[in-house]
Amino acid sequence: MQHYLFVLIFVLLGGGQLVSANGRLEYVRHNSGNYEAKLYLNLSETVVNWEARFTFEFDIDGFTIHNPGSQIREQSGNVVVIGNAAQDQHGPGEWSIDFYVRYLAAMPQLEFAVYNGEDLNTDFIAPPPPTVRPTRPPLPDGDYHYEEVLGLSLEFYEAQRSGRLPESNRIMYRGDSFLDDKDGDIDLVGGYFDAGDHVKFGFPFAYFTTVLNWGIVDYKQGYESAGELQNALDAVKWSLDYFIKAHPTDFEFYGQTGDGNQDHGYWGRPEDWTLGARPSFKITQQQPGSELAGEASASFASGYLVFKDVDPTYAATLLNHATTLYDFANQFRGTYTDAIPAGSFYNSWSGYGDELGWAAAWLYRATNVTRYLDDVATHWQEFNLGARPMEFSWDDKKAGLQVLLARITNNQIYKDAAEAFCDYVINDVRRTPKGLVWLSEWGSLRHSSNVAYICLQAADAGIKPDAYRAFAKQQINYALGDGGRSFVVGFGVNPPKSPHHRSSSCPNRPSPCDYNNGMNNPGPNYQTLWGALVGGPGPNDDYVDDRGDYIKNEVATDYNAAFQGALAALQVLKDEGNLP
């Protein structure tokens, strides 16, 4: 971080007196095409309302202010005016204006700044050349800074946002996109892109939201320790706000926006989409989809637990959607790919029984209503949900259901099922020479992170805690560097630089982005996709950082979900001094 000192004077609005302050400009990071900075003010008096005018050396491409309660009042060419959105109060003492600047060619230096009507001393020095954001070295005992990776993972989710981005957007190469997503009068703007593409696939979308919620509920301390709780809440609310729009009536839920085949033929920025309006697909009473409705119910029920103490009114809305979607899934049973053309991408091989049990279990946890626990028992028998699964994933929720029930009921039947799964993974599943549990070729690190998270949950249910926590730590540490390199973009030693991901592969505007200079660019991605977990190595720890390898080097929102939850859980153990 670069530090530059200056002195400034400004007028206190409302009081009329001059208030002098010392300040400094700090450049937090500078990437190709954008930089982040903080303008610190050491205020001698309290300021109630404020406005600042920044004049840059030449026109900028974008500007974001990250202060809560602040807004951009004017932006034109090389001038930006910012201020408080409502009555605000800060000072006396140190306070900062946190801002991000995006540019097209040369870096535009801040030339003049005015704060509350008074010129500041603007002897600002340009930031250093673009560099990779430094990360902290591993801890002396070989552990990693889980809190740092947790924060980076949340930045990955921000890079996947669709729709109109908030003023707090930290991903400077991203802008508003797909603002015309709709079905008739139903607004479907928002949500998340699935992976390296731009489709909103509702089934894995709902799954990763449920899993993120689960980690926030059970490992909130880890998020707080990392200073990332608000970013985590923002991440899941971005999902849940979209799902509310996607559920306009009790027996109607939109489960896909975009055509997978059309989308996969396009390589470019989502902001530059040129292929016209995108189709949307839904489930109804006539064409039901119990997997989709059940998983969406679970995401709403777990979301209720996240927000019930933060925003009770919002949480009540989430719970209402959860209950109606569960009834929809249970009463009108059917396979969702009979209604939605996602079978070639996210076919439900495990059927819908696991989602019915999963949704009922989350509703029982949210409401403590015994009807839902009775339904779990019914589904458990009808769909053989106590059988040992092969994985935990967007498709198969049985392992998650078993350990969730073990924790919330302490019933030995569920604890035995959870133990059988973790013992199978630890003792029987193939490992790479360097110790990675290798469950599947497609997204091998996604699968190892998923089972690590399940076994951390089992440990917290009192099941073999020492063994299961040691196993989970080993698997997560493999992804962070113990496997010989980092598999998290922007973190650690030799991280991936060319993930299979469209928007981060694109050069800065006004350069076009297509297969030639995006996908087929022989160099690294032009933008850093901070925090993304790539698919991972083969069975012999084999891996090449190749953008064209969508099996080992693509990223996806479901890849990071349980990985992020495991990071939060390990951070809690580290804070408590219980890390293996």
Side-chain angles (χ1 to χ4, degrees):
M1 183 178 289
Q2 303 292 317
H3 305 257
Y4 303 106
L5 297 178
F6 58 93
V7 178
L8 57 102
I9 296 177
F10 61 90
V11 175
L12 172 64
L13 290 188
Q17 67 187 93
L18 288 175
V19 180
S20 62
N22 291 320
R24 70 185 187 278
L25 183 69
E26 293 187 356
Y27 292 105
V28 179
R29 56 176 165 170
H30 182 198
N31 304 314
S32 177
N34 60 82
Y35 66 86
E36 172 187 354
K38 292 175 178 283
L39 179 58
Y40 282 97
L41 311 179
N42 190 14
L43 306 176
S44 61
E45 299 285 348
T46 298
V47 175
V48 177
N49 292 301
W50 65 276
E51 181 175 278
R53 175 182 293 267
F54 288 176
T55 303
F56 294 91
E57 186 178 5
F58 38 81
D59 290 359
I60 61 174
D61 186 48
F63 184 93
T64 302
I65 183 169
H66 200 52
N67 296 71
S70 302
Q71 65 179 353
I72 298 174
R73 296 179 176 176
E74 176 187 340
Q75 180 177 336
S76 178
N78 67 331
V79 175
V80 178
V81 179
I82 55 180
N84 53 294
Q87 190 171 68
D88 188 20
Q89 180 172 310
H90 50 267
E94 189 171 71
W95 178 73
S96 67
I97 300 174
D98 304 347
F99 63 95
Y100 302 77
V101 177
R102 184 172 63 235
Y103 59 90
L104 297 177
M107 201 287 301
Q109 182 176 343
L110 181 60
E111 289 194 319
F112 303 102
V114 177
Y115 185 84
N116 280 355
E118 291 293 321
D119 290 342
L120 308 185
N121 181 332
T122 55
D123 187 19
F124 301 133
I125 303 174
T131 59
V132 174
R133 177 165 45 181
T135 57
R136 296 175 236 176
L139 297 168
D141 55 4
D143 291 327
Y144 294 88
H145 292 280
Y146 302 123
E147 74 282 4
E148 181 181 355
V149 191
L150 183 63
L152 292 176
S153 179
L154 285 162
E155 289 195 41
F156 163 65
Y157 281 106
E158 291 185 27
Q160 294 298 100
R161 284 175 173 172
S162 178
R164 191 175 301 281
L165 301 185
E167 290 190 353
S168 60
N169 171 47
R170 297 182 292 173
I171 312 303
M172 295 306 295
Y173 62 87
R174 286 297 326 283
D176 297 343
S177 63
F178 295 109
L179 300 182
D180 58 351
D181 278 353
K182 62 183 178 180
D183 183 30
D185 294 332
I186 304 299
D187 174 14
L188 296 171
V189 174
Y192 284 97
F193 302 134
D194 174 59
D197 53 13
H198 306 132
V199 185
K200 293 183 283 196
F201 286 113
F203 189 34
F205 183 176
Y207 157 80
F208 89 70
T209 303
T210 303
V211 174
L212 287 182
N213 286 335
W214 193 6
I216 296 170
V217 170
D218 285 351
Y219 303 113
K220 180 180 177 181
Q221 178 187 333
Y223 282 95
E224 290 175 332
S225 174
E228 294 292 343
L229 180 58
Q230 186 58 55
N231 287 329
L233 296 178
D234 292 344
V236 294
K237 192 173 186 298
W238 194 265
S239 290
L240 297 167
D241 286 350
Y242 175 80
F243 289 152
I244 289 171
K245 294 194 291 186
H247 186 215
T249 67
D250 287 356
F251 301 118
E252 186 180 25
F253 186 81
Y254 285 86
Q256 184 175 320
T257 301
D259 180 299
N261 293 310
Q262 179 193 49
D263 183 277
H264 289 185
Y266 168 84
W267 195 280
R269 305 178 185 92
E271 298 83 359
D272 298 341
W273 178 262
T274 58
L275 302 182
R278 306 201 298 174
S280 296
F281 307 92
K282 63 184 178 180
I283 53 174
T284 62
Q285 288 173 276
Q286 293 72 36
Q287 290 187 297
S290 297
E291 304 97 334
L292 175 60
E295 188 59 66
S297 172
S299 71
F300 276 122
S302 56
Y304 164 81
L305 292 168
V306 170
F307 287 100
K308 66 184 181 70
D309 296 325
V310 177
D311 186 342
T313 301
Y314 182 66
T317 298
L318 301 180
L319 188 58
N320 180 62
H321 283 278
T323 57
T324 56
L325 277 165
Y326 172 69
D327 291 339
F328 180 19
N330 197 27
Q331 294 174 21
F332 299 94
R333 296 186 178 185
T335 300
Y336 93 102
T337 50
D338 290 341
I340 292 176
S344 298
F345 306 95
Y346 288 101
N347 192 51
S348 177
W349 301 104
S350 68
Y352 53 72
D354 52 329
E355 279 79 29
L356 292 178
W358 181 238
W362 276 110
L363 278 165
Y364 175 67
R365 184 173 183 182
T367 66
N368 206 33
V369 173
T370 56
R371 168 211 160 187
Y372 295 116
L373 190 60
D374 293 341
D375 279 6
V376 168
T378 299
H379 300 321
W380 188 270
Q381 294 299 321
E382 181 180 359
F383 299 105
N384 193 26
L385 300 181
R388 178 183 55 73
M390 303 294 290
E391 62 182 30
F392 174 63
S393 69
W394 57 263
D395 176 25
D396 194 336
K397 314 302 178 349
K398 287 193 290 292
L401 170 64
Q402 291 163 3
V403 76
L404 175 64
L405 291 169
R407 288 201 64 177
I408 64 178
T409 71
N410 204 35
N411 187 310
Q412 195 61 44
I413 291 175
Y414 303 135
K415 295 177 78 171
D416 289 345
E419 183 176 4
F421 176 72
C422 285
D423 283 352
Y424 158 73
V425 170
I426 293 172
N427 299 323
D428 299 333
V429 171
R430 174 183 183 178
R431 301 222 186 181
T432 69
K434 293 181 180 179
L436 180 71
V437 166
W438 203 81
L439 287 151
S440 174
E441 181 179 23
W442 202 304
S444 59
L445 287 172
R446 167 256 310 265
H447 286 289
S448 64
S449 298
N450 289 356
V451 297
Y453 181 74
I454 292 298
C455 294
L456 284 165
Q457 285 280 349
D460 288 338
I463 306 169
K464 299 180 179 176
D466 292 342
Y468 289 179
R469 287 168 180 161
F471 162 75
K473 175 186 171 184
Q474 178 198 35
Q475 296 303 304
I476 298 301
N477 282 9
Y478 180 103
L480 300 182
D482 282 7
R485 63 178 301 154
S486 169
F487 291 94
V488 178
V489 178
F491 174 82
V493 176
N494 193 23
K497 295 182 175 62
S498 302
H500 183 89
H501 185 262
R502 284 162 174 75
S503 62
S504 67
S505 77
C506 293
N508 294 321
R509 294 181 180 86
S511 298
C513 183
D514 52 28
Y515 273 97
N516 288 330
N517 64 349
M519 170 63 195
N520 297 326
N521 164 35
N525 285 17
Y526 287 97
Q527 317 298 337
T528 302
L529 188 63
W530 301 103
L533 179 72
V534 298
N540 295 308
D541 300 301
D542 48 297
Y543 169 81
V544 176
D545 185 11
D546 177 6
R547 188 180 305 108
D549 188 347
Y550 47 80
I551 293 177
K552 294 179 180 177
N553 223 35
E554 190 165 13
V555 300
T557 47
D558 76 284
Y559 285 18
N560 270 66
F563 172 70
Q564 183 173 301
L567 291 167
L570 292 171
Q571 182 62 34
V572 172
L573 292 173
K574 186 166 72 171
D575 289 343
E576 295 175 344
N578 294 323
L579 192 67

